Amino acid sequence: MPLSKKNQTNHIRGYIEGYYGKLLSWTERTELVRFLASLQLNTYCYAPKEDPQHRLRWREHHNPQWHEAFRKLSEAAECSSVALVAGIAPGLDFNFQSGSDFDCLLNKTQQYINSGATGILLLWDDIDDVFTADISISEGTAHARTVNQLSEAIYQPVWTVPRVYADEIENNNNYLEDFFNELQSQHTVLLCGKAIVASKVQHSDLQRLSRAANNTIESSAELKHRTVVWDNFYANDYCPRRLFIGPWTGRDEVSDYLINPTGMPHTDNLILDITASTHTSANDKSAWQDALTRHGVPDAFLAIAPYFLSPCFGDTIAQEKIDSAPFGVTSDKAIDQAIDQAIEDCLWKWKSPLAREWYPFIMSLKHDLALVQGTLPIDRILKTQTSCLSRHLLKNF
């Protein structure tokens, strides 16, 4: 069963700029919007953690140049039939007793709408679970009530992310129960599922979080709110030395989703293509390989692709059994040689914007394999690794 309500046939599918460590240019955002349209995806959500006025200094207004750039992006989105949702994340220090804080939030929201935003996203994610507001209501109630109040002031529903947006986050003080009991039904909620980085997302995962059907998990039960999956399958801001580029699997029940990827525009185009094509394909592997080919990834990459397929998911056992042979070392010399040659080909013979984005990850793989094989010389260890890791690696050399 789809994760959106039955009477909502226009699926929400697209891209959320919601990661740490990267900030796209306006040109890159415009190109992504157009690429979304080419894939028949329909939503771009602006919520970059690295924009100081989005989160850290949310009370500050963007300057006129920013709003002019956003307006041009909104025009490109409208021409492409892509919804442009603007996010605000006031949760770090929002004063729920202060009318001036709500006025600031409202004024900023209205500026986004005046600059072309077709939707507003209010985010309460990634904040401490210590609620210190000197008010008689709970944190969950306060967050949801602020969403309701903002919606009433701007005369339209609001999108929101609760503080507890995945099962692995502690639901202290009945946060979710209070949040969803207070939140009016017209709003859209973004959730991850069992884990922040989930191996699969099912309807029951969203039901558990939203406490649908009075905590009774039934496959036929509808969700009270339209629920969009915030999907971190490809995100690497928590592990920037790694890259995940495999098939988008475990999402058969997902109808509404926003992909939160890497902030590397050419890589993100490929990721969007992979998600759009594998989601509707009966053969994930074939659709995935076709997407790689469309984006100019050489056949040589397939030999090293297993190192880049998927993350260590938060809803699976992280500690795998360690065999006697180090991970990545095979007993077949021919296979090892083929992998080494594939790395060399991808590093030195593949020339494209996508190749330049992947260069540090492929080079890191080369170093890592040499480390576990014991073939990386001391001087290269010192040159390529941080000083603390070099000392650790050379301790028993």
Side-chain angles (χ1 to χ4, degrees), residues 33-216:
V33 160
R34 291 171 178 156
F35 190 70
L36 283 167
S38 74
L39 298 173
Q40 297 184 313
L41 303 176
N42 59 14
T43 305
Y44 189 100
C45 185
Y46 179 90
K49 300 295 197 296
E50 298 307 324
D51 176 351
Q53 282 77 39
H54 163 71
R55 175 178 169 88
L56 184 64
R57 300 196 297 271
W58 66 270
R59 294 179 183 84
E60 296 180 7
H61 292 292
H62 290 96
N63 59 38
Q65 292 77 20
W66 185 96
H67 280 283
E68 177 62 18
F70 190 89
R71 184 187 62 77
K72 290 180 178 178
L73 178 63
S74 73
E75 291 174 353
E78 184 178 9
C79 290
S80 301
S81 298
V82 171
L84 178 59
V85 179
I88 312 174
L92 289 173
D93 58 2
F94 189 85
N95 188 337
F96 295 92
Q97 294 176 288
S98 169
S100 62
D101 257 13
F102 181 80
D103 289 343
C104 182
L105 176 64
L106 175 58
N107 290 337
K108 194 163 187 176
T109 296
Q110 290 173 329
Q111 285 190 7
Y112 287 153
I113 294 172
N114 292 339
S115 295
T118 55
I120 296 297
L121 169 63
L122 196 55
L123 303 96
W124 307 105
D125 60 321
D126 297 354
I127 59 176
D128 292 339
D129 62 356
V130 179
F131 189 60
T132 58
D134 187 18
I135 53 179
S136 59
I137 59 175
S138 69
E139 180 189 18
T141 300
H143 287 173
R145 191 167 293 179
T146 303
V147 176
N148 296 338
Q149 185 181 359
L150 181 63
S151 172
E152 292 168 2
I154 63 174
Y155 303 104
Q156 69 181 58
V158 172
W159 296 30
T160 188
V161 182
R163 181 179 61 76
V164 180
Y165 55 89
D167 268 336
E168 68 175 308
I169 301 173
E170 289 286 338
N171 183 33
N172 295 331
N173 301 315
N174 292 319
Y175 174 91
L176 285 174
E177 291 84 349
D178 292 346
F179 181 86
F180 282 105
N181 283 335
E182 183 72 21
L183 190 68
Q184 294 169 354
S185 61
Q186 71 269 25
H187 304 306
T188 295
V189 182
L190 273 59
L191 300 172
C192 291
K194 284 186 178 180
I196 298 171
V197 184
S199 61
K200 59 183 178 180
V201 183
Q202 298 175 305
H203 185 66
S204 57
D205 302 332
L206 283 300
Q207 286 178 306
R208 274 191 295 273
L209 283 165
S210 64
R211 300 305 190 258
N214 297 317
N215 288 323
T216 300

Side-chain angles (χ1 to χ4, degrees), residues 232-251:
N232 293 312
F233 186 101
Y234 295 102
N236 69 339
D237 52 358
Y238 62 96
C239 53
R241 291 185 68 243
R242 301 192 65 190
L243 174 69
F244 312 115
I245 206 70
W248 194 53
T249 58
R251 273 81 176 146

